[in-house]
Amino acid sequence: MIILIQCADQVGLVASVSKVMADAGLNIISMREYVTVDENRFYLRLEIAGAPSQTTGLEQRLRAVLPQNSSILMNNAQQKKIAVLVTKEYHCLGDILLRNYFNTLGASVECVIGNHDTLRPLTEKFDIPFHQVDHTNKSREAFEKELLNVLNKHTFDYIVLAKFMRILSPQFVAAYPRQIINIHHSFLPAFIGANPYRQAHERGVKLIGATAHFVTDTLDEGPIIAQQIIPVNHAHSVKDMVVLGKEVEEAVLAKALQLVLQDRVIVDNNKTVVFEN
Amino acid sequence: MIILIQCADQVGLVASVSKVMADAGLNIISMREYVTVDENRFYLRLEIAGAPSQTTGLEQRLRAVLPQNSSILMNNAQQKKIAVLVTKEYHCLGDILLRNYFNTLGASVECVIGNHDTLRPLTEKFDIPFHQVDHTNKSREAFEKELLNVLNKHTFDYIVLAKFMRILSPQFVAAYPRQIINIHHSFLPAFIGANPYRQAHERGVKLIGATAHFVTDTLDEGPIIAQQIIPVNHAHSVKDMVVLGKEVEEAVLAKALQLVLQDRVIVDNNKTVVFEN
Amino acid sequence: MIILIQCADQVGLVASVSKVMADAGLNIISMREYVTVDENRFYLRLEIAGAPSQTTGLEQRLRAVLPQNSSILMNNAQQKKIAVLVTKEYHCLGDILLRNYFNTLGASVECVIGNHDTLRPLTEKFDIPFHQVDHTNKSREAFEKELLNVLNKHTFDYIVLAKFMRILSPQFVAAYPRQIINIHHSFLPAFIGANPYRQAHERGVKLIGATAHFVTDTLDEGPIIAQQIIPVNHAHSVKDMVVLGKEVEEAVLAKALQLVLQDRVIVDNNKTVVFEN
Amino acid sequence: MIILIQCADQVGLVASVSKVMADAGLNIISMREYVTVDENRFYLRLEIAGAPSQTTGLEQRLRAVLPQNSSILMNNAQQKKIAVLVTKEYHCLGDILLRNYFNTLGASVECVIGNHDTLRPLTEKFDIPFHQVDHTNKSREAFEKELLNVLNKHTFDYIVLAKFMRILSPQFVAAYPRQIINIHHSFLPAFIGANPYRQAHERGVKLIGATAHFVTDTLDEGPIIAQQIIPVNHAHSVKDMVVLGKEVEEAVLAKALQLVLQDRVIVDNNKTVVFEN
């Protein structure tokens, strides 16, 4: 079982938490703790082993020793579920569908929703339901209402924007706090907005990158989960950069999903605490 | 001998240039050519071997076969010279002085100029002249005038801003076109301006970087020569990022100097063509 | 059109070759030349643009100016074809099938052959013929004879061993010189042979890697095309390393295929000359 | 204060240790724990804050709750000391001397010993004692006896082999268990032994690397602390690789020293547990 805790810091928190585990006869396989001295915040990731019966009432026993307003996320081994939103580009979705098909994603893909129909054939090859929600000739409100209708037919823990090229309204985002993961085609905060590869080419940069982040209500903002870069040079055209960029996007989204699905990411305000291996 | 050529593209340029070499009995050790189809520009780097007598009049013979307004830079093995401007941080200067002392820099350091006196002892250990040009209680004009006076006492091919924390005026920069190399403590164009590491920390990025570039008259703009990044995480404080950042700054400036001093960089407008190995 | 040339070096080769192009009115879009001073070898990659009629007889005209025994490979834009050999692991095949389906592979997959039947369902989803050639209860000769029978039903330029876990005999390899590309689950030459991740874990290395190479008749030898690494630490079990290793294997095989299929790789003895962007 | 613990694993260790801290009123700033399930080993790194009086008797109180034969390393903020052994190459020593001079090494350099006199001038510029211990016309025993005599005049926590090109006997190494840090000019375990860059060049690898490790009595074995690589290609001569290799060597030794001097490395048998940021 994985337990993620965040709360105000105080002396003795690790002792209290690990005493709760020891009293329950639970073994701590791995523990990662991080404290911000300036903001006085305490973050903890615990991986514990023991019989299911030993974890009964564990949250209450933890709350009893933690400060008020502590956030506790307890995750048993139960498979997580995701919904994937796409537009036309296949590379991120293809990678997710392959991992899902061979049970290496760490989650099950419940459905794929596209504002275009382009990726239906690929999705249906893998027997995953594909829904088109066309955005043309619609207000954003109407479009998002339809989107919500389709989403509400499924259960899921996260919405993955796998190159979904529509901007979601703050209202939509607010309905899924810290549940929407986006892959942004740029090394944020450089080249925010449209055509980052054209911008990168014009600036003559020697590296391009991609950023996976949780979506908040500000465009291309939101807590960053993972970033990666790839070297480029003068000989890379905008088109070459787009091609290379897709490789980074796919890699960085895959990494971010793995981190989130393994409960290695704690979100606090606009930042993440990521307990990597 | 290294020859760098840039000009408008036309059919047969490589043939014409290499015929000039063959006619002179010069052997082409390495040739790198790059053509931009959109802008119709031709860039060439030639490394040739032969007796000095064979290169007499070579530039004229090249001009005879090249379009008008071609830029030809011919560089025999003669040692290049640099002047280094610093403020208080030692890491880039230290690296340059060590390489200079052991003859692995590919240039000789003619002098070091600091707006503070902090790095005089280090510089003088290596028997390099150090000049302080204090900026306090002076207009920028007065400061730069003094700077020019000191610089004019030395001959050099490039001015290296090795963590020189004063902004140079467009007038000063114009006096040394494509001759001033700066190391910027950020992965441009992210975090332009002051306190990039604080900005990076607040944004919660997972990579920080540094950029070496030629200085033009716009702050933190100018043709990029080299960029590099280093991974960071939530546990890195601003201070940690500054420390890590120095490692990247030193590495990327060293790389950029090597590229420039080996005549591997052609500048065209606001971009570079870098012919790496 | 791409032209790859390798031959003994002599003065004036670039001039002669580029004069042939200029005489034919062909424009040199990009030229990469490399000369080994010690071994006196000349390697050239040319990308030229012009009408098909201008390239008639081009090879003979090139041979007329090049040394005897020159190797000339001329490649028009015609789509390349590959056959893929697999065992049970899906990650490299999945990536290849996806790129093939969306026409971004730079080749067409003609068939997939497995010594197990595990990857038939995945392959057939993409309407690619899958053949099982079972190796059990067979001599290597008998197995490879069957393999050849199946391969002979298809035409292809390269055989890609996408995690094919059988060792091919020198006789088999000799039938496809410089045509067989393998992905080796290690940063060669470290950890040659079986269980490289177990070896890596026991040695406590901090990086693991993968190598794509042409297959010659010595196990895990053959000219290296591309290599890549990924950082690991004490907390990675052998199983974790296997998982991470698959990511690198997929990435490095994809890169190697791209380099080979874009005619950027010249093989000379046991080494490659790779003209990257 | 930093505390490093390694011992046999058992339920409740973290609870017991953190209770000791809480009882003493010490705040745990950062805690990193790692357990190997297979080998049943427990590793812990604690960073604690509190008044010196609170840490009195802390080791005994820890021993009271830990299994027998636990290894406990307690490190107050006291400056560490190192001795550096060199031969002729300056790059690693130069980096160490610079950091030492500007107090960013995290240790003080007590002396530099060379089997050649080449690096005396550099060392003495920084007012560090340099001793030459010539190895010519001497048995290894005699050479090492002299070396020990010189070393015994200084106190130090670690011996850093900063490109020291003599092989030390098992007897010598045994005198400084887990105290000798070496930089090896190769990505171990590839290219063990002499001339790794020549080997790498002949094999046509696309990456070269360097390894920092503790020295044990087997050549080029010993627990690895850090490894890094740099890309190379066909155009890099052996000499180019040597030059590039020095950059990696310097970087990886600097990183390893930082990890060791910040008490982030626990050695267990032939492996390290490295608690990076």
Side-chain angles (χ1 to χ4, degrees), chain C residues 116-153:
Chain C
H116 287 269
D117 215 39
T118 318
L119 297 172
R120 178 188 296 277
L122 175 68
T123 306
E124 294 185 343
K125 274 185 202 309
F126 291 95
D127 301 317
I128 304 291
F130 184 94
H131 311 280
Q132 191 195 353
V133 179
D134 194 340
H135 66 281
T136 50
N137 302 319
K138 265 173 217 159
S139 68
R140 203 205 269 176
E141 288 68 28
F143 171 65
E144 290 188 351
K145 201 177 160 193
E146 272 189 55
L147 206 52
L148 284 168
N149 280 343
V150 175
L151 282 167
N152 285 336
K153 288 179 195 147

Side-chain angles (χ1 to χ4, degrees), chain A residues 34 187 201 206 227 234 272, chain B residues 34 187 206 227 271-272:
Chain A
Y34 172 61
F187 171 58
H201 187 261
K206 304 302 184 192
Q227 298 191 292
H234 60 272
T272 58
Chain B
Y34 172 62
F187 172 59
K206 302 305 183 188
Q227 298 190 294
K271 288 203 218 174
T272 58

Side-chain angles (χ1 to χ4, degrees), chain D residues 21-191:
Chain D
M21 300 303 152
D23 289 350
L26 293 160
N27 198 18
I28 298 176
I29 298 297
S30 130
M31 164 177 276
R32 293 289 297 272
E33 181 228 23
Y34 172 61
V35 169
T36 57
V37 180
D38 291 351
E39 292 104 6
N40 198 43
R41 297 289 290 167
F42 173 88
Y43 307 92
L44 189 75
R45 181 184 190 267
L46 278 170
E47 199 175 334
I48 57 176
S53 62
Q54 295 171 296
T55 61
T56 316
L58 195 60
E59 185 170 344
Q60 293 87 313
R61 278 176 278 155
L62 282 170
R63 291 219 176 273
V65 301
L66 291 172
Q68 280 205 307
N69 301 319
S70 292
S71 151
I72 302 176
L73 196 148
M74 305 185 68
N75 189 351
N76 53 21
Q78 198 181 295
Q79 174 90 310
K80 290 193 181 64
K81 297 173 177 181
I82 64 170
V84 184
L85 270 61
V86 298
T87 296
K88 288 177 169 180
E89 290 172 77
Y90 79 89
H91 55 293
C92 289
L93 177 63
D95 185 60
I96 289 169
L97 289 174
L98 275 175
R99 290 176 198 255
N100 182 63
Y101 183 68
F102 287 98
N103 298 314
T104 60
L105 181 62
S108 70
V109 178
E110 295 300 302
C111 65
V112 176
I113 306 173
N115 57 319
H116 287 268
D117 215 40
T118 317
L119 297 172
R120 178 187 296 278
L122 176 68
T123 306
E124 294 184 344
K125 273 184 202 311
F126 291 95
D127 302 316
I128 304 291
F130 183 94
H131 311 280
Q132 189 192 355
V133 179
D134 194 338
H135 66 280
T136 51
N137 301 319
K138 267 173 217 159
S139 68
R140 205 206 267 177
E141 286 69 29
F143 171 66
E144 292 188 350
K145 201 177 160 193
E146 272 189 55
L147 206 53
L148 284 168
N149 280 342
V150 175
L151 282 168
N152 285 336
K153 288 180 194 145
H154 298 274
T155 59
F156 50 86
D157 299 282
Y158 295 100
I159 297 174
V160 179
L161 309 184
K163 303 295 291 172
F164 178 67
M165 306 310 275
R166 310 295 303 169
I167 292 169
L168 296 168
S169 70
Q171 290 73 33
F172 185 97
V173 171
Y176 302 101
R178 295 172 186 184
Q179 285 184 277
I180 309 179
I181 296 164
N182 185 41
I183 177 69
H184 187 267
H185 45 316
S186 155
F187 172 58
L188 291 174
F191 308 127

